[in-house]
Amino acid sequence: MAQKADAVFEGGGVKGIGLVGAISEIEKAGYVLENLSGTSAGAIVASLLAVGYSSAELKKELEQLNYNDFKDEGLLDKLGFLGKSLSIGFEYGIYEGEFFENWLEGLLVAKGKTTFGDITTGYKEEQYKYKFQAIAADITDRRLLVLPGDLRLFGLEPDEFSISRAVRMSMSIPFFFEPVELRDTSGRKHFIVDGGLLSNYPIWLLDDGTGDPPWPTFGFKLMEPDKRELKQAKRNPINNPISFLKAIVGTMLDAHDSYHISKSKGDYDRTVGIPTVITVNGVEKEIGTTDFNITQEESQALYENGVKVAKKFLETWDFDEWKKKYRQKKKAS
């Protein structure tokens, strides 16, 4: 018998295929995903699951993807270092983001669901009105945005808004991709960027920790090594202002770790932590958010990391026991 579950996916750039590996085991265990949310790469995975893709279909699509294609350059960017510097100065980002949005839109069209109105649930609660929600950051107002609901702040109708556009906002890594511009009802321009700057793991969105949920909310998190050591050498040498900015952004987006999980709400116990360290041909490597040159072998290793930890998680997961421990009030003796 199918069991319902909500799912929240952490952002992580090119590491997103690890999330797909974990979901493949959740599906095998008989869970049907009811409500989904995510940030950046997590929003990509969540949006595609929400419109009907299976983990097997997602794996196939990601295996065919060359992440370097996401680095779509405009005219300025093609002028080398000077052009990229001017692109950041004038457009606030090196890459256009159009290839990504078109790629995602094509996948959504294939399922016949392209706007948020296509994925309404029938639930009355605002947080469950749409099967998928994404996190983005409005750096103009220093505000976290939950999309599509917060589009009303800009006078936009959520039902009519493009899912691929919302995900494009959520994955707009600062300096790498040009921010998405929106104007509010007064005409003021807002710049929208990667939601990972404010909430890379929005498990709070579908379950705030105060209720007695009828089904579990699983979190899928891309975990750095438990014990980090000082690195003897930098994988991405900083030798010019562009590489310096990339290093800053990569550090910001990779800085979210297990200490951000609330043990008091039982978040740790319901989180599938997917290691981002892989071993290929006997060589151990940690995959970073912006490692666009990731190979198929490395992607496969990340996928297998997700499969392994999800299997282990499911061996001990007991929703009733989790609720007794974290949600149900103890009876007075």
Side-chain angles (χ1 to χ4, degrees):
M1 181 179 176
Q3 307 171 74
K4 291 182 179 181
D6 292 344
V8 177
F9 299 90
E10 184 185 37
V14 302
K15 299 177 286 188
I17 194 166
L19 304 171
V20 178
I23 276 295
S24 70
E25 291 301 312
I26 298 298
E27 288 178 349
K28 288 179 184 177
Y31 285 98
V32 175
L33 300 180
E34 188 74 2
N35 303 291
L36 304 106
S37 68
T39 301
S40 196
I44 299 172
V45 173
S47 67
L48 292 172
L49 290 170
V51 300
Y53 280 89
S54 67
S55 61
E57 290 175 307
L58 290 188
K59 182 175 185 288
K60 181 179 178 180
E61 293 295 339
L62 293 179
E63 285 176 341
Q64 296 173 349
L65 180 64
N66 180 352
Y67 289 96
N68 278 308
D69 289 339
F70 285 175
K71 298 192 290 186
D72 49 349
E73 299 180 336
L75 292 177
L76 282 177
D77 307 316
K78 296 181 185 299
L79 299 178
F81 171 74
L82 176 60
K84 287 180 171 58
S85 299
L86 290 172
S87 187
I88 289 176
F90 290 105
E91 300 172 331
Y92 306 113
I94 299 174
Y95 305 117
E96 306 295 300
E98 292 182 5
F99 176 90
F100 165 79
E101 191 169 343
N102 291 334
W103 170 77
L104 183 61
E105 181 71 11
L107 294 178
L108 298 174
V109 167
K111 293 294 185 181
K113 298 178 181 179
T114 59
T115 67
F116 282 96
D118 295 327
I119 57 170
T120 54
T121 62
Y123 290 116
K124 295 180 180 179
E125 299 89 345
E126 181 64 26
Q127 70 192 99
Y128 304 123
K129 183 177 179 180
Y130 301 96
K131 191 172 182 66
F132 158 67
Q133 296 175 89
I135 299 295
D138 176 358
I139 58 175
T140 301
D141 277 358
R142 301 179 183 179
R143 180 201 302 266
L144 180 148
L145 298 177
V146 177
L147 306 175
D150 284 343
L151 291 167
R152 297 186 185 92
L153 298 170
F154 305 95
L156 298 170
E157 172 51 50
D159 279 14
E160 299 173 2
F161 201 80
S162 163
I163 296 172
S164 60
R165 190 64 170 168
V167 178
R168 162 75 173 87
M169 295 178 190
S170 183
M171 57 73 66
S172 296
I173 301 173
F175 303 120
F176 273 79
F177 295 104
E178 295 176 14
V180 174
E181 297 180 15
L182 290 179
R183 291 187 182 274
D184 59 27
T185 54
S186 67
R188 193 162 63 99
K189 185 186 296 184
H190 294 250
F191 293 96
I192 315 300
V193 301
D194 194 308
L197 293 179
L198 297 178
S199 182
N200 209 33
Y201 183 55
I203 198 165
W204 50 268
L205 181 58
L206 297 180
D207 180 10
D208 64 5
T210 61
D212 184 16
W215 55 76
T217 296
F218 293 139
F220 299 86
K221 198 173 194 309
L222 296 156
M223 309 290 283
E224 295 180 348
D226 292 335
K227 296 181 179 179
R228 299 189 60 81
E229 299 177 355
L230 292 175
K231 294 177 181 164
Q232 300 302 314
K234 296 181 183 297
R235 289 187 293 118
N236 297 305
I238 298 174
N239 46 35
N240 58 53
I242 299 298
S243 59
F244 176 72
L245 290 174
K246 288 183 177 180
I248 289 175
V249 173
T251 299
M252 285 192 298
L253 297 179
D254 283 336
H256 301 267
D257 58 29
S258 59
Y259 293 105
H260 290 270
I261 302 175
S262 168
K263 291 185 178 180
S264 63
K265 296 177 183 176
D267 290 348
Y268 186 85
D269 291 357
R270 60 179 173 175
T271 293
V272 180
I274 304 159
T276 56
V277 171
I278 60 171
T279 300
V280 176
N281 298 324
V283 179
E284 189 177 88
K285 177 181 181 180
E286 183 181 349
I287 302 298
T289 298
T290 55
D291 287 346
F292 290 104
N293 291 317
I294 188 171
T295 66
Q296 284 195 345
E297 291 79 9
E298 290 169 343
S299 288
Q300 180 62 30
L302 273 175
Y303 178 87
E304 292 299 329
N305 279 359
V307 170
K308 291 175 184 177
V309 295
K311 282 183 178 179
K312 187 175 181 180
F313 171 83
L314 289 167
E315 287 174 0
T316 59
W317 171 256
D318 187 314
F319 183 45
D320 291 331
E321 288 300 317
W322 181 89
K323 286 207 297 183
K324 286 179 183 178
K325 185 175 181 180
Y326 294 107
R327 294 299 168 83
Q328 295 176 357
K329 295 180 179 180
K330 295 181 179 180
K331 295 180 181 180
S333 57

